[in-house]
Amino acid sequence: MKRVAKLSLMVFGGMAMNSIAVAADGQAAAEGSSLSASPEVVFGQGITDTLVTSWIISLAIILLMRWLVGAKPTMIPRPGQAVTETVLGGLQSIMEPIVGAKAFGHIFPLLFGYFIFILLQNWSGLLPGIGSILHRVGDSYLGILRPVNSDLNATLAMALISLVAWMYLSIKHVGISGLYGHIFGNKAEKNGIPGFMYGFLFVIFFGVGLIECISIIFRGVSLSFRLYGNVFGGDNLLHNMYTFSEFLTNGGFVKTELFRTASNVLGGGANLIAFVVKYLGYLLPLPFYFLEILVGLIQAFVFTLLVAVYVGLIVKHDDEQHHINLE
Amino acid sequence: MTIELPVGFASVGIDAIFGKFGIDWHLLLIQGVNFLCVVFVLYRFAFRPVLKTMDARRAEIESGLKYASDMKLELENLNSQRQNMIDGARTEAAEIIFTAQQQAKIYGEQQKAEMAATVESMFAKAKDEISAERDTVLKNTKNELKYLVVDLAAKVLEKTLSQSDKDNFIQAASAGMRDVFYAKKNQ
């Protein structure tokens, strides 16, 4: 119970510190109400804010996992090992039936890696300091830390790796001819239709295969843009909430038309409302943190699940066909 | 390179999209390599050992459960064997008791029959002995009485009896004694 209280204090404290840091500084807000769609170069040699965050969080992930698992996992798990086993065991129980036991042995490091990496990188955007630690570049100040998945380079790189892995596993498990057959092959029953129609269907299925190829290529685009869009959108949402929070905590509410109308109606009571609104402004970003925790988890899961589905579609489909042919 | 979009949309250049989102092949490569490095390290030091431990634990649990199941089966067999042995022993004991009872009964009846026969033979023997003794006693008594009667008669008559007198007296005495004897016996 004490631990839960301590953890809650750390989380809420971190959120509040982040909120206060941004609101007090005001410099980030001065840069505009929305973030740039592309990463900013903050250091020499083209090192961007997302790259710095990526390295720091990657190192933190490795250290965290090492701390949780320990030097050597034991048969009677320690609390950290139990947490890791629960996560990995849960993922395994979901992914293995999708991918198939045969391919799971090859792809599980990548699937687990996607989930852990994307999840913790997404949640890193909620840490104090991300977006609020500034670095002077020329005449302007730029945040040196930014969630990695709000950079399309990172999400596209992971999507391309998933495509390469898909291709490798497809060739490994079904072979080049099997892959060709899966995409372009005539799936009609030869005995069920006239011969000329069966020949004509080759052309149709080849055309369908070309569309399938485009669809496979666009899997990379959809995977990367989905993750990027969600994380970048969430980052923008938090940024805007901080800006609005700053507006409220600096007494912006009293300058609005709404306050003037309230004053006309309520008189002195409007000042009380302005007082409450001013201090509620500090808590404004808080609900959106919970939203982003959920979005971060869902996006990590969706990305991992889709990669598993893409692999499972060809590997398991081939397994089933073999099974049917044998029957 | 440009993508031609349907009428009503402005044509959008891929380079423009890449520029807008800051796509740069250097960054793409670095991010990819960074991700792969993290995956490799996690796989080497976290995923693989943890999964191996989980598999080892699963195997141990399975073998433990199998052992427990085997032991349970063995216990059931032993219980069954024990019960069979107890039932067998009970049946055997019941048979032994029944046989012993039967034998005891037969022996008892034999003994009874033997005893009865012995008693019967002893009784018959005793009866014969008694009868023989009585006859002997009667015979002796009769003889003694015969001569006693003759002597008594001679003394009473004070004469010497001839042999034919003696025989007549003896016959008469014998008949009288027989009558007396049988009369007493019939009483």
Side-chain angles (χ1 to χ4, degrees):
Chain A
M1 201 61 203
K2 259 185 168 179
R3 278 188 179 180
V4 175
K6 205 173 165 184
L7 193 68
S8 307
L9 195 68
M10 280 169 68
V11 170
F12 287 108
M15 289 174 179
M17 274 173 65
N18 205 6
S19 175
I20 290 164
V22 172
D25 195 314
Q27 190 66 42
E31 294 296 322
S33 61
S34 62
L35 294 170
S36 162
S38 59
E40 303 282 358
V41 176
V42 288
F43 294 111
Q45 308 295 320
I47 293 172
T48 61
D49 44 5
T50 51
L51 210 50
V52 174
T53 314
S54 176
W55 289 334
I56 293 170
I57 300 300
S58 296
L59 191 66
I61 290 170
I62 291 167
L63 293 175
L64 175 72
M65 292 302 284
R66 179 75 175 172
W67 176 67
L68 286 175
V69 174
K72 193 174 188 298
T74 51
M75 289 297 270
I76 300 166
R78 295 179 297 277
Q81 188 189 330
V83 170
T84 315
E85 281 184 9
T86 307
V87 174
L88 297 189
L91 278 176
Q92 185 178 6
S93 64
I94 295 168
M95 301 298 167
E96 196 169 353
I98 296 170
V99 178
K102 203 167 72 171
F104 185 76
H106 293 111
I107 200 166
F108 84 86
L110 199 62
L111 292 178
F112 288 175
Y114 275 135
F115 185 77
I116 302 285
F117 186 83
I118 295 172
L119 178 74
L120 295 180
Q121 292 284 8
N122 285 352
W123 283 354
S124 74
L126 307 175
L127 292 173
I130 303 279
S132 61
I133 296 175
L134 305 175
H135 174 66
R136 187 170 183 161
V137 180
D139 294 335
S140 61
Y141 286 91
L142 294 173
I144 58 169
L145 300 171
R146 174 178 161 158
V148 176
N149 294 325
S150 67
D151 178 358
L152 195 59
N153 289 298
T155 59
L156 194 58
M158 285 191 288
L160 290 175
I161 288 167
S162 81
L163 281 182
V164 173
W166 175 85
M167 183 66 76
Y168 168 74
L169 287 170
S170 300
I171 292 170
K172 186 175 175 65
H173 287 276
V174 299
I176 292 174
S177 59
L179 183 62
Y180 178 82
H182 177 78
I183 297 172
F184 296 105
N186 191 343
K187 282 106 182 167
E189 284 284 337
K190 196 172 183 179
N191 299 329
I193 50 172
F196 74 91
M197 184 65 91
Y198 186 71
F200 176 69
L201 282 174
F202 268 106
V203 182
I204 299 291
F205 276 112
F206 187 79
V208 171
L210 289 177
I211 297 168
E212 178 75 8
C213 283
I214 295 168
S215 143
I216 288 167
I217 292 165
F218 266 83
R219 282 173 188 172
V221 177
S222 70
L223 277 174
S224 58
F225 270 89
R226 183 185 301 107
L227 181 58
Y228 166 76
N230 275 283
V231 177
F232 179 67
D235 202 26
N236 258 306
L237 177 70
L238 286 181
H239 185 85
N240 287 331
M241 285 304 120
Y242 278 133
T243 309
F244 190 46
S245 168
E246 188 201 357
F247 169 74
L248 293 177
T249 52
N250 285 343
F253 180 62
V254 294
K255 297 169 192 165
T256 60
E257 189 62 36
L258 183 64
F259 178 74
R260 276 194 286 277
T261 312
S263 297
N264 290 339
V265 177
L266 301 170
N271 289 327
L272 182 65
I273 293 172
F275 179 78
V276 172
V277 167
K278 179 178 177 179
Y279 287 98
L280 274 180
Y282 284 109
L283 299 175
L284 184 64
L286 204 58
F288 298 97
Y289 268 90
F290 291 106
L291 178 71
E292 285 310 304
I293 287 171
L294 198 63
V295 169
L297 176 68
I298 291 169
Q299 287 309 314
F301 187 69
V302 165
F303 193 101
T304 312
L305 194 68
L306 284 172
V307 174
V309 167
Y310 295 149
V311 173
L313 270 176
I314 188 156
V315 176
K316 272 197 85 179
H317 178 71
D318 186 66
D319 279 351
E320 280 162 13
Q321 271 199 339
H322 275 298
H323 188 61
I324 291 163
N325 290 341
L326 283 170
E327 280 178 348
Chain B
M1 185 181 175
T2 56
I3 297 172
E4 290 298 329
L5 293 175
V7 179
F9 290 85
S11 62
V12 182
I14 286 281
D15 293 338
I17 294 173
F18 276 26
K20 176 73 181 164
F21 291 107
I23 301 289
D24 176 57
W25 73 268
H26 293 100
L27 289 173
L28 204 68
L29 192 68
I30 293 170
Q31 294 284 16
V33 169
N34 180 51
F35 169 71
L36 287 176
C37 287
V38 173
V39 168
F40 174 75
V41 173
L42 290 183
Y43 167 70
R44 182 76 182 74
F45 296 106
F47 301 157
R48 196 169 62 170
V50 167
L51 286 184
K52 265 187 181 174
T53 310
M54 284 166 74
D55 284 344
R57 191 186 301 127
R58 194 178 294 121
E60 201 156 305
I61 290 168
E62 275 173 8
S63 91
L65 286 174
K66 192 177 174 300
Y67 179 74
S69 167
D70 289 350
M71 284 298 107
K72 198 178 166 189
L73 206 65
E74 200 166 321
L75 185 67
E76 279 172 8
N77 285 339
L78 284 174
N79 276 338
S80 168
Q81 278 179 11
R82 190 179 61 112
Q83 195 58 44
N84 287 342
M85 282 171 77
I86 289 170
D87 290 348
R90 273 190 188 143
T91 312
E92 204 173 331
E95 278 173 9
I96 289 167
I97 289 167
F98 180 74
T99 311
Q101 280 175 341
Q102 291 296 314
Q103 283 177 349
K105 198 175 170 186
I106 291 165
Y107 183 73
E109 279 173 1
Q110 276 177 353
Q111 288 297 310
K112 209 169 149 186
E114 274 177 22
M115 190 58 71
T118 310
V119 167
E120 190 70 26
S121 74
M122 281 171 73
F123 187 72
K125 197 177 168 186
K127 208 173 169 183
D128 289 347
E129 281 176 1
I130 289 166
S131 180
E133 199 171 337
R134 191 189 64 187
D135 288 347
T136 309
V137 168
L138 273 175
K139 198 176 174 183
N140 291 340
T141 311
K142 251 163 71 176
N143 284 336
E144 280 179 15
L145 275 175
K146 262 189 319 189
Y147 291 106
L148 196 64
V149 168
V150 172
D151 288 344
L152 187 63
K155 276 183 184 172
V156 170
L157 295 174
E158 288 183 351
K159 80 174 211 184
T160 307
L161 296 176
S162 66
Q163 190 58 45
S164 65
D165 292 333
K166 284 180 183 179
D167 291 339
N168 287 334
F169 272 116
I170 287 166
Q171 268 185 340
S174 294
M177 279 194 299
R178 196 182 300 127
D179 294 339
V180 172
F181 180 75
Y182 282 115
K184 273 193 176 178
K185 197 178 176 185
N186 288 333
Q187 279 177 356

